[in-house]
Amino acid sequence: MTITFFTSPIGLGHATRDIAIAEQLLKADGIAFVSGEGAASLIAKKGYDTMDVYRPEKFVVESGQLQHSFKWLMSYYSYYKKCKVIAKEILDKRAGLVVSDEDFASIAIGEEMGRRRVLITDITETHFTTGPASMIERKMNKSMQKMIQACDCVIIPDAGDDYGNIRHVGPIVRQASAGRDALRKQFGFTRNTIVVSTGGTDAGRYLIEKAIEAHRKLQSRLDSELVVVSGPSLKLPDSPDYRNLGFVDNLHELVYAADLVISLAGRSTIDESIAYGTPGIFIPIKGHFEQEEGAARLGFKYEDIFRLESLVEEKIGRRNNNNAVHAAGGGAERAAKIISDLDR
C-alpha cells in the first residue's frame, strides 16, 4: 500500500479526519502525509511520515469577522500555484494513490501525471466574494468542479445519496481511547466543564475573549470550569479564569469528556460534538461561507456570540447519549475501505 495524503493545512480539521482514516487503513507502512504548520505537527505526533512543506495564506479576521476576502482569494490562488510545484516534486518520487483533503494542487498534478486520485471534501464550490469579484471566483469554481469530476472518487464526510464518483460516508471522526468517565478522570474534569476550541489559527481570539467574559458571570452558579484549547498559533496569558491547554492532539477526547463545547463552526469539531453526544455552541466567522453554512444547520449564527451567557446556561450538560460513540469511527472506516479498494 503506497498512499500519499495531501492534507490542507488551513485549520486542523483536515488533519484530524485524515488521521482518523489512516488509523483505519490496515497497512500503514506506505502512507505519507504532505501538509504544513500546525496540521503537519498534529499528524507527525501520531507517528506518520510527514512532510511539513505547505505555508498557507492566513485569513484576516477582526472581531470574529472575515476581512479582505477577495484579497485572500487571490493570495490563495498564488499559494495554490506554489503547492503545485511542491506536489509535483513529491509525486515524481512517490508512486501510488493520491489522496487529497481539499488540496487541489495535488489533484491537478495527479491528473496531469495520470495517477489515481481520491478527493475528500465538504464543499464543491466557494462563495467568499460578491459583486464583480465573484466573476473571478466563479471561474475558479468551474476549474475546481472539473477536477472534482475527473477524480476516481470523491469522499463526502456527510450523509447523502451517492452518484457518479461521489461517495457519502458520514462524519469522519477519530475514535476515543477510553470511555467518558475515564477521560474525565484523566483530564481532571471534576466540575461542569466547558471546552473552548478555535482550531489551528488565531482567528478565534475574539470567541475566546467572549467565552471568558460569559463564563466569569456564570461559573459560580454553574459550578463550572473553562478549559481553552488555543491551538498552535494563539498564545494566551496565564489566568485564574481558565485552564489553557494550548495545542493538543486529542481534541476529540476533550470534546467527549466535556459538558459543553464552544467553538468556531469548523466541520470536524461539529462532527466530533455530534458523534460523542456533547452539546455545542458553534459561532461562525462572519463572512466565511463554509462556517456560516455549517453553523446554520445547527441553528447558530455569528450574532450568537453576543448571547453566549444565555446559550451556555441553555446547553450545558444536555448530552445526547443516543449518538455518543456510535457515530465515531463509521465514516473513517467507510472512507478507508474506499481508499484501500482503489489502491489495489
Side-chain angles (χ1 to χ4, degrees), residues 133-151:
S134 65
M135 294 177 63
I136 296 174
E137 186 174 15
R138 282 198 296 271
K139 289 182 179 179
M140 293 171 69
N141 277 327
K142 285 182 180 179
S143 296
M144 180 171 70
Q145 286 160 6
K146 286 181 180 178
M147 283 191 277
I148 289 172
Q149 291 165 7
C151 286

Side-chain angles (χ1 to χ4, degrees), residues 173-238:
V173 175
R174 294 172 290 173
Q175 291 184 306
S177 62
R180 184 168 182 266
D181 290 344
L183 289 172
R184 285 183 65 84
K185 184 176 180 180
Q186 176 184 327
F187 300 141
F189 291 177
T190 57
R191 294 181 285 168
N192 287 316
T193 306
I194 303 167
V195 169
V196 182
S197 168
T198 58
T201 71
D202 64 356
R205 182 185 294 273
Y206 187 62
L207 177 57
I208 290 176
E209 292 170 351
K210 288 294 184 183
I212 292 170
E213 181 183 312
H215 187 250
R216 283 196 194 107
K217 302 173 183 176
L218 292 169
Q219 65 182 116
S220 59
R221 63 177 183 267
L222 292 181
D223 186 27
S224 57
E225 176 188 23
L226 192 69
V227 175
V228 178
V229 180
S230 55
S233 301
L234 181 57
K235 307 302 179 186
L236 296 178
D238 293 334

